[in-house]
Amino acid sequence: MDGFEKRRKQKKKDILTAALTLFMEYGIQKVSITEIAKKANVSQVTIYNYFESKDNLAQYVFKFYVDQVWGEQKQFLESALPFNEKIKKIIFEKGTATNQISERFFQDFMKDYASGQSYVEEVYEKEALPLFIKFFNEGREQGYIDSEVSDEAILFYLKMFQEYLQREDIAQMALPVAEELTKLFFYGIAGKRED
């Protein structure tokens, strides 16, 4: 990669980072291209050259956000930690990508998710699903998941949860209890809580 391409890639990342920061704080509708350009130290024209429109930029920001969240989750899932420690990290350690999410951004994100063509679906199908199956098997081997609970049952439960969250009217209710829902899911399949 030559110097020009490196600068171009970095500039694009700066725009995505600036947009994500502003979107997370204020929601997509309340943030202008002018504000994003100022925060990213680029011109508005540069943003339009890279992303064509604010709607396209928002789609790239959603992908950027999903990649950050999944990257953090994947790191925990692939680590050498015991199953119960992985669960604790997944539930209790809020990553940098999820620390400052506003209700408005969460609603925007869930609206995109509910569209049925979300990048989240793609990541889930291609990357998360195989890793979760491996994670569940690891939990069984270490005695944390009941061996009578099949992958099919766990995945069916996840699918029900996923489809329910795709309903647009659910976004406002889900954010305040997201951590509790995660605890309920993990400790529900574990059958016991290790402290």
Side-chain angles (χ1 to χ4, degrees):
M1 185 182 309
D2 62 25
F4 174 76
E5 192 55 38
K6 279 184 185 175
R7 286 189 302 278
R8 180 176 165 77
K9 194 172 182 177
Q10 183 60 50
K11 201 175 283 191
K12 195 170 185 179
K13 186 178 179 188
D14 291 346
I15 293 167
L16 291 170
T17 302
L20 178 59
T21 301
L22 292 168
F23 290 169
M24 286 182 82
E25 188 170 349
Y26 303 107
I28 294 170
Q29 298 304 318
K30 294 192 178 198
V31 176
S32 69
I33 291 293
T34 305
E35 292 167 315
I36 296 167
K38 184 177 179 185
K39 186 158 189 73
N41 292 318
V42 299
S43 71
Q44 293 177 53
V45 172
T46 300
I47 293 175
Y48 286 112
N49 283 338
Y50 287 137
F51 301 102
E52 297 176 13
S53 68
K54 185 177 172 186
D55 287 341
N56 278 349
L57 174 59
Q59 290 303 308
Y60 278 95
V61 168
F62 287 144
K63 287 179 180 180
F64 185 66
Y65 176 71
V66 167
D67 287 343
Q68 285 183 354
V69 172
W70 173 237
E72 292 171 356
Q73 294 295 308
K74 189 176 175 181
Q75 188 175 0
F76 290 138
L77 290 169
E78 292 179 332
S79 73
L81 292 170
F83 183 83
N84 64 327
E85 289 300 314
K86 288 180 184 181
I87 287 177
K88 286 178 188 175
K89 286 197 173 291
I90 289 168
I91 294 172
F92 298 113
E93 289 189 18
K94 291 189 176 177
T96 55
T98 55
N99 264 347
Q100 299 295 323
I101 188 169
S102 71
E103 185 175 326
R104 185 65 234 163
F105 179 76
F106 185 74
Q107 289 171 357
D108 292 336
F109 183 79
M110 292 308 290
K111 187 175 183 179
D112 178 70
Y113 181 56
S115 73
Q117 298 176 336
S118 175
Y119 180 65
V120 172
E121 286 292 315
E122 186 181 322
V123 170
Y124 176 76
E125 292 291 329
K126 290 181 181 175
E127 293 187 47
L129 197 54
L131 204 51
F132 279 130
I133 289 172
K134 182 179 174 189
F135 179 60
F136 300 147
N137 287 330
E138 183 182 315
R140 279 188 199 90
E141 289 168 10
Q142 294 179 24
Y144 291 100
I145 294 180
D146 187 332
S147 61
E148 294 178 21
V149 178
S150 67
D151 288 342
E152 291 78 14
I154 296 169
L155 294 172
F156 185 77
Y157 181 82
L158 278 172
K159 188 70 174 169
M160 288 188 316
F161 192 73
Q162 172 191 17
E163 286 179 9
Y164 188 68
L165 283 176
Q166 285 181 323
R167 289 182 33 196
E168 196 173 326
D169 59 324
I170 298 306
Q172 288 182 333
M173 296 184 329
L175 184 59
V177 294
E179 191 169 315
E180 292 173 66
L181 291 171
T182 305
K183 287 178 190 177
L184 181 64
F185 173 75
F186 280 111
Y187 293 135
I189 64 168
K192 62 184 177 182
R193 183 174 174 173
E194 295 287 325
D195 289 317

